């Protein structure tokens, strides 16, 4: 095949992605398209190796002869170099250089045509398997969490339950629950399950970040249709039947930029997320009390903050038999003190958030210290172009897990996964039924 035909084939493949995937890299029904292709197929290099990226830019599928400005910098960090290149027949090659230490470099691209700017970026990794956490492992970590779980369990789990007919089908039932998780706190959740009598595995699905309603349960109804009892929970004690306007008002009044993740961070005993982590374990207490539970299989599954909470729950609760997590947040959050990317919520962006007292508290709540303790099989998914939960911190979590593990690495992905990826995670769980 000639070089020109190969380029056309690459373009056609990229355009076919446009028709099936809505994402930051390939915007659905967009007039323009960036194609950035590192010269290593897996986007990975050894430290000291130089990375080159072929850059193409199209408008209406037509290659553009246009000047492109670029910056190169470490993952989530300021640029260390910059330059300009002119695309010829819509194409140019940019030398990204290398890294002497393990990590990721980010190539940030900008083209301007008239008054409109077109931006793109691509991250490549250098020996990421050698990345290590900045976050330390507190000596009393296990004692701290054991004491908090024991205290919470002095309050019996109590549940109010209401049938959710609008989320039920001919072969599945749905219920809206309010679960009391400790003396002070409750969480809401939607439970979906097969309608047929039987014994089933249970799946806990914690939420992504924010104060918001639980995502439409019907989006994941295939779990119940495939023989799972699934509990999709929120963490703030807010009824998901409230309107979007009400959630927005609460967020505006009390939670600017997910401020709950900062609440009480000066002291591990007062930090907001303490009751959230406890609530995840108490949710499993509830699920394993159900007469329909099969008595063997307890799964956790989630993405972003939900991915973090899934890994955290797996590290806290030995009843968890398998864990699926996408691009976990709350991972090596203090990593910025090591002059590199840290995890969401990126406390470096706020004043006085990386003080010694707060960093000490973070260690008790950071995913890395739960990842060290996971013993069940783990399936972890992440992308390299993610600027919410950066690949640096996902690799750090991956490197720490000593339990049986599998990964799906999707370099092009930003902070998203496809429906096919999500469905295949359910298939992976089915393969790990005991």
């Amino acid at each position: 095949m000639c070089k020109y035909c190969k380029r056309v084939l690459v373009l056609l493949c990229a355009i076919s992605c446009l028709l099936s995937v809505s994402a930051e890299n390939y915007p659905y029904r967009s007039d323009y398209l960036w194609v950035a292709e590192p010269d290593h197929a897996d986007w990975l290099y050894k430290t000291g190796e130089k990375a080159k990226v072929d850059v193409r830019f199209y408008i209406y599928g037509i290659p553009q002869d246009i000047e492109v400005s670029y910056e190169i910098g470490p993952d989530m960090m300021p640029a260390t170099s910059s330059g300009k290149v002119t695309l010829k027949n819509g194409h140019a090659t940019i030398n990204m250089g290398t890294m002497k230490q393990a990590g990721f470099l980010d190539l940030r691209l900008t083209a301007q045509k008239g008054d409109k700017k077109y931006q793109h970026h691509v991250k490549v990794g250098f020996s990421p398997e050698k990345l290590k956490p900045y976050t330390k492992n507190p000596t009393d970590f296990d004692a701290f969490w054991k004491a908090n779980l024991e205290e919470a369990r002095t309050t019996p789990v109590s549940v109010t339950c209401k049938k959710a007919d609008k989320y039920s089908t001919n072969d599945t039932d749905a219920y809206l629950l309010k679960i009391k998780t400790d003396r002070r706190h409750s969480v809401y959740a939607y439970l979906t399950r097969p309608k047929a009598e039987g014994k089933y595995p249970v799946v806990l699905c914690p939420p992504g970040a924010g104060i918001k309603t639980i995502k439409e349960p019907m989006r994941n109804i295939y779990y119940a249709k495939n023989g799972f009892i699934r509990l999709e929970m929120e963490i703030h004690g807010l009824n998901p039947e409230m309107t979007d306007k009400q959630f927005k008002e609460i967020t505006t009044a009390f939670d600017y930029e997910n401020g709950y993740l900062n609440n009480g961070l000066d002291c591990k005993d007062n930090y907001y997320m303490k009751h959230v982590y406890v609530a995840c374990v108490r949710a499993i207490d509830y699920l394993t009390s159900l007469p329909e539970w099969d008595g063997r299989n307890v799964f956790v599954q989630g993405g972003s903050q939900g991915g973090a909470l899934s890994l955290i729950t797996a590290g806290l609760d030995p009843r968890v038999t398998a864990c699926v997590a996408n691009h976990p947040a709350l991972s090596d959050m203090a990593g910025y003190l090591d002059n590199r990317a840290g995890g969401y919520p990126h406390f470096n962006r706020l004043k006085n958030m990386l003080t010694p007292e707060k960093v000490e508290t973070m260690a008790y709540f950071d995913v890395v210290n739960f990842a060290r303790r996971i013993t069940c099989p783990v399936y972890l998914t992440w992308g390299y172009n993610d600027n919410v939960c950066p690949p640096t911190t996902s690799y750090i979590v991956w490197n720490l897990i000593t339990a049986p593990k599998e990964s799906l690495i999707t370099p092009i992905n930003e902070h998203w996964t496809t429906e096919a990826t999500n469905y295949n995670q359910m298939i992976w769980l089915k393969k790990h039924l005991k």
Side-chain angles (χ1 to χ4, degrees):
M1 184 182 292
C2 71
K3 189 173 183 181
Y4 173 77
C5 292
K6 286 182 179 179
R7 288 182 179 177
V8 171
L9 180 60
V10 169
L11 177 59
L12 290 173
C13 290
I15 291 173
S16 71
C17 291
L18 276 171
L19 301 177
S20 60
V21 178
S22 175
E24 291 91 335
N25 292 287
Y26 298 132
Y28 180 59
R29 293 184 178 178
S30 172
D31 294 337
Y32 72 94
L33 174 66
W34 289 97
V35 178
E37 183 181 358
D39 61 345
H40 283 196
D42 60 1
W43 300 28
L44 295 179
Y45 302 79
K46 298 296 183 184
T47 49
E49 285 187 300
K50 292 184 178 180
K52 294 182 180 180
V53 177
D54 280 350
V55 176
R56 298 177 177 86
F57 180 66
Y58 305 86
I59 296 179
Y60 302 119
I62 301 170
Q64 298 295 300
D65 292 343
I66 194 170
E67 183 178 78
V68 173
S69 300
Y70 64 86
E71 294 183 341
I72 301 169
D75 190 10
M76 304 300 294
M77 301 297 283
T80 54
S81 63
S82 62
K84 294 182 179 181
V85 65
T86 299
L87 304 188
K88 295 181 179 180
N89 295 319
H91 171 259
T93 299
I94 297 175
N95 187 343
M96 288 184 66
T98 188
M99 297 184 77
K100 295 180 179 179
Q101 296 181 327
F104 279 79
L105 275 182
D106 190 7
L107 174 62
R108 303 151 192 166
L109 304 162
T110 302
Q112 182 156 351
K113 192 175 183 67
D115 60 354
K116 188 170 182 179
K117 287 186 178 181
Y118 303 88
Q119 294 182 313
H120 187 56
H121 79 122
V122 59
K123 298 183 190 181
V124 299
F126 295 86
S127 301
E129 72 280 359
K130 295 181 179 179
L131 281 164
K132 296 180 179 180
Y134 174 85
T135 301
K136 303 299 186 291
N137 181 29
T139 56
D140 64 340
F141 183 90
D142 296 308
F144 172 77
W145 284 109
K146 181 175 183 290
N148 279 290
L149 289 172
E150 287 177 350
E151 180 182 354
R153 284 175 170 144
T154 62
T155 301
V157 169
S158 62
V159 178
T160 60
C161 177
K162 182 175 73 172
K163 185 76 179 294
D165 290 323
K166 66 178 179 178
Y167 298 134
S168 300
T169 70
N170 290 336
D171 50 5
T172 64
D173 285 327
Y175 303 88
L176 175 60
L177 310 180
K178 183 179 181 181
I179 306 171
K180 190 168 182 60
T181 56
D182 62 29
R183 181 172 56 85
R184 293 179 53 202
H185 300 98
S186 298
V187 297
Y188 284 86
Y190 280 109
L191 183 141
T192 53
R193 51 151 293 172
K195 193 181 290 288
E197 292 186 7
K199 300 288 186 179
Y200 301 104
V202 294
V203 185
L204 174 68
C205 179
I211 293 181
K212 56 194 176 186
T213 189
I214 299 171
K215 289 183 178 179
E216 179 93 7
M218 296 302 291
R219 192 175 66 116
N220 296 299
I221 198 64
Y222 53 82
Y223 273 85
K225 289 180 179 292
N226 279 271
F228 293 90
I229 298 172
R230 179 182 172 89
L231 189 76
E232 196 156 342
M233 63 179 282
E234 59 85 50
I235 61 172
H236 303 295
L238 297 174
N239 191 327
E241 293 182 317
M242 291 195 309
T243 65
D244 289 342
K245 181 180 179 181
Q246 288 171 319
F247 275 103
K248 185 176 182 180
E249 287 175 346
I250 292 171
T251 300
T252 301
F254 300 107
D255 193 48
Y256 178 69
E257 293 189 348
N258 290 339
Y260 66 88
L261 290 167
N262 311 336
N263 191 335
L265 195 55
D266 284 307
C267 174
K268 64 181 184 294
D269 295 311
N270 297 331
Y271 185 38
Y272 183 90
M273 295 300 286
K274 185 177 77 170
H275 85 81
V276 174
Y277 292 14
V278 168
C280 290
V281 175
R282 299 310 311 276
I284 289 179
D285 287 349
Y286 164 71
L287 286 169
T288 55
S289 74
L290 294 173
E292 298 84 8
W293 176 47
D294 67 10
R296 298 182 300 278
N297 297 287
V298 178
F299 301 141
V300 287
Q301 178 265 322
S304 194
Q305 178 184 265
L309 293 173
S310 296
L311 292 163
I312 286 161
T313 306
L316 273 178
D317 195 330
R319 293 173 297 181
V320 176
T321 56
C323 171
V324 171
N326 302 327
H327 40 248
L330 312 176
S331 299
D332 207 31
M333 292 178 281
Y336 286 102
L337 294 174
D338 200 23
N339 198 34
R340 58 161 173 78
Y344 180 90
H346 306 295
F347 287 126
N348 66 310
R349 297 175 180 176
L350 301 174
K351 292 182 179 180
N352 300 318
M353 290 305 298
L354 291 175
T355 64
E357 294 79 12
K358 289 182 171 69
V359 170
E360 180 181 353
T361 297
M362 288 177 204
Y364 290 88
F365 296 87
D366 200 293
V367 170
V368 301
N369 285 327
F370 295 91
R372 303 176 196 270
R373 291 165 166 81
I374 295 174
T375 58
C376 68
V378 174
Y379 185 40
L380 194 63
T381 299
W382 69 98
Y384 292 166
N385 281 350
D386 197 333
N387 277 341
V388 178
C389 298
T392 297
T393 59
S394 290
Y395 256 104
I396 286 170
V397 171
W398 172 257
N399 293 343
L400 285 171
I401 296 171
T402 57
K405 58 185 179 179
E406 298 177 46
S407 66
L408 173 63
I409 301 175
T410 55
I412 196 68
N413 284 32
E414 300 197 23
H415 199 60
W416 51 270
T417 54
T418 64
E419 292 181 4
T421 294
N422 298 336
Y423 186 86
N424 286 332
Q425 290 172 346
M426 184 271 293
I427 299 298
W428 184 88
L429 289 175
K430 289 188 76 170
K431 292 178 181 178
H432 285 77
L433 289 168
K434 293 183 178 181

